[in-house]
């Protein structure tokens, strides 16, 4: 009987070690995927070279994975709070990542078509509330999934217009927010809040407001990408769309990888995991790895020092800088 209890205890301990989730996420280098495999511009030119997006893989930690991360190169364990907002469920987090990916694709389409002088029309519907900041006044009246359509009765024409409208207020100003929730329009009142101690930056008290919009193009562009979230492929999406819209091979026949967000103005923004993504780019045989200038570039270079690789790490601040670099290669 005693041996049976010991055996049962060992079995429970093993199951806990293998399967019980911990409040940590494990991240490690993912894959480099050729974008033209899942993105097509109708009638666009597809060339021998490859433009690749790179990812990091992420999973909830168990004791086994946590211990394994300590001994696996380019692997990191981070508290769940690094990824989840206060009160945000994993389902909400996944939904937010899907929306960030969709927003990234829309911004890439918009800017690439404008850059290639092709037809693009954007119908703006409002700003999606990823989540109100816990403890903010907005948390009393706004919910994840709300779509803000007007402030003080005035609608806005774009994401930038929304940001400028909010910035025009002062901390403590009362504002009426028109929003859509569960298919119904409603109005709520809240106060503009300081975002830092200086009070120079103000906001509504929400995380990552995302544009809700419809982007129409001629020729049409389509994505067939699943199980990948986040905004970090924006730069490479933009380059691939521009390449298919314009004559010639932007890559010169080479394998080009990269990462970086992009907005409708073509600005390349920082991302997470650059030090891990360069590993995926190198394993895919890329000769060039585009990365946002600044801290992302510095961390990628630190990883490069650990790799036996001659991949060229190129920091960029705009889409045009990446295009200019590729054209100079050719």
């Amino acid at each position: 009987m005693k041996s049976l209890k010991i055996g049962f205890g060992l079995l429970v301990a093993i199951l806990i070690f293998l399967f019980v989730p911990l409040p940590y996420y494990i991240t490690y280098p993912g894959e480099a995927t050729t974008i033209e495999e899942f993105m097509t511009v109708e009638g666009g030119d597809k060339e021998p070279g490859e433009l690749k997006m790179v990812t990091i893989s992420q999973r909830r930690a168990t004791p086994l994975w946590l211990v394994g991360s300590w001994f696996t190169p380019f692997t990191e364990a981070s508290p769940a709070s690094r990824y989840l907002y206060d009160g945000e469920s994993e389902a909400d987090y996944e939904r937010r990542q899907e929306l960030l990916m969709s927003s990234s694709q829309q911004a890439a389409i918009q800017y690439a078509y404008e850059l290639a002088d092709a037809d693009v029309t954007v119908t703006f519907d409002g700003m999606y509330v990823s989540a109100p900041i816990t403890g903010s006044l907005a948390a009393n009246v706004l919910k994840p999934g709300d779509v803000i359509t007007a402030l003080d009765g005035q609608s806005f024409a774009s994401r930038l217009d929304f940001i400028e409208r909010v910035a025009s207020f002062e901390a403590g100003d009362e504002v009426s927010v028109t929003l859509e929730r569960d298919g119904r329009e409603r109005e709520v009142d809240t106060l503009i809040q300081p975002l830092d101690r200086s009070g120079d930056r103000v906001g509504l008290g929400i995380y990552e407001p995302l544009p809700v919009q419809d982007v129409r193009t001629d020729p049409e562009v389509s994505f067939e990408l699943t199980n990948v979230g986040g905004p970090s492929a924006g730069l490479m999406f933009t380059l691939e769309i521009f390449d298919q819209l314009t004559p010639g091979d932007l890559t010169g026949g080479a394998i080009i990888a990269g990462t970086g967000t992009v907005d409708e103005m073509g600005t390349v923004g920082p991302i997470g995991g650059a030090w891990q993504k360069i590993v995926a780019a190198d394993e895919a045989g890329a000769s060039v790895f585009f990365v946002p200038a600044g801290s992302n570039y510095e961390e990628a270079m630190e990883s490069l020092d650990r790799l036996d690789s001659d991949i060229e790490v190129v920091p960029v601040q705009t889409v045009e800088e990446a295009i200019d670099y590729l054209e100079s290669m050719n």
Side-chain angles (χ1 to χ4, degrees), residues 109-182:
I109 293 170
Q110 183 177 347
Y111 191 70
Y113 270 70
E114 291 174 354
L115 202 59
D117 199 25
D119 291 338
V120 58
T121 302
V122 179
T123 303
F124 184 80
D125 296 321
M127 297 297 292
Y128 180 90
V129 177
S130 297
I133 297 174
T134 301
S136 68
L137 296 173
N140 298 323
V141 294
L142 297 177
K143 295 182 178 181
D146 287 346
V147 176
I148 299 173
T149 59
L151 298 176
D152 281 345
Q154 295 184 358
S155 60
F156 25 89
S158 67
R159 180 185 68 90
L160 293 177
D161 188 21
F162 171 79
I163 293 173
E164 290 174 357
R165 288 284 308 286
V166 173
S168 69
F169 291 99
E170 295 182 356
D173 286 350
E174 184 174 0
V175 60
S176 174
V177 180
T178 305
L179 58 87
E180 291 182 1
R181 178 186 299 165
D182 300 328

Side-chain angles (χ1 to χ4, degrees), residues 40-95:
T40 302
V41 176
E42 185 179 17
D45 297 324
K46 294 190 176 183
E47 308 293 346
E50 297 179 58
L51 289 163
K52 289 180 175 285
M53 59 172 279
V54 288
T55 63
I56 57 174
S57 294
Q58 181 185 72
R59 64 178 298 157
R60 193 76 180 222
T62 64
L64 174 64
W65 275 89
L66 183 61
V67 172
S69 71
W70 301 340
F71 305 99
T72 307
F74 302 103
T75 300
E76 180 179 55
S78 302
S81 58
R82 179 175 174 180
Y83 302 96
L84 302 179
Y85 296 142
D86 291 341
E88 184 179 38
S89 68
E90 289 197 13
D92 290 337
Y93 171 74
E94 294 297 333
R95 172 60 175 158

